[in-house]
Amino acid sequence: MQFPYLGWARRKKENSQYQYLSDEGEDHSLVHEPKRYTALKYIRHETKSWKSFNSYIFILSLSIANIFLFFSTVAMILIHRGSRCTEKEIRDGIPDSSNTAPIFDRLNIYRSKYHHNFTLYWWDDNPSIFQQPPSPEVDEAWERISSTKSIALSAEEVRAAGYDPATVWPAPANEFGEGVYYGVLDFYHQLHCLNMLRKTAWPSYYGDMREKMKHTPLKWEDHLQHCTYAVLRSILCHADMEVLVGQKFKGWPGVNLNFASTKKCRNFEDIFDWMETNAIQQKAPWSEYPDRSIIELDPEGILTPFGDHSGLEEFAASRGIELEVPADLAWQPHKQHPNEGN
């Protein structure tokens, strides 16, 4: 009777209590059967231990694989979100001129990658509405993105923007309740200025803008200077560091710049959509003073040049401007709200 397992058992350490010789040349009488049975128990024990070890290795490998898959999934999500992340997520990591704006707490503004060809204007290239010459459709598109609509701010949001609520114009309490203040996103102010520069470039369509705006507090030339600098300041503030390369194009002598680029931009359409549903417009006509007390500031350096503290009428007269109060403005007497006793 042969027991091949005894050959394996023989190779165990010399001091093992279960070490036996091989079956070759050995007495296989019943006297040795108990020993063989004991050895069989040992082999079965070793087999169970080996199976347990294999199970441990299998479970460990499976765990490592799951961990690897988990981190791979996280990495892919982060890579995907790298091209689409909210302003809240990057506010602390990427310095930005408007990171303190309270609007980020109301709207998840994402950044996504956009590729722009930036070719010259060609009709065959299906240009953007904003590349097209003046028309009613073009004016409607520009009005949508450049109208300086107001948003409602709370006192906390006013403070977060760096202002004292006592100096900020409050919205009418009978329409919007207490503690609501007016604000405008600078984004829209900059687009308004760009639109003014655009209209000036098309006098054949828009007419003489100087004549149309001659009764406003600012001369048209001063308005254009203001707008030119506002757009310039925004460009310099964001200082786009993308590199444009010079290339050689077939049939074109010398070097020409390739203006195509891929940029990570705020999703401006999300902002436009949000503004269309969140902009506020009071029903009552504007007045010289709000319906609550407000701290009046010196116009010097903001509405007038440094060193000039004059009011609107005096300032306009000094510039030779004949003011015309718009029909939707109902100027009240030159004093604070009577309920405040000022």
Side-chain angles (χ1 to χ4, degrees), residues 129 132 134-142 205:
I129 187 71
Q132 298 179 23
S135 70
E137 293 76 19
V138 169
D139 284 346
E140 182 180 357
W142 276 96
Y205 185 87

Side-chain angles (χ1 to χ4, degrees), residues 160-181:
Y163 295 95
D164 180 355
T167 67
V168 178
W169 191 282
N174 60 346
E175 291 188 42
F176 303 100
E178 297 290 341
V180 178
Y181 302 86

Side-chain angles (χ1 to χ4, degrees), residues 230-248:
V231 175
L232 173 65
R233 182 189 62 182
S234 179
I235 294 173
L236 293 178
C237 179
H238 293 90
D240 192 341
M241 301 302 289
E242 184 170 359
V243 176
L244 303 177
V245 297
Q247 294 180 310
K248 177 66 173 69

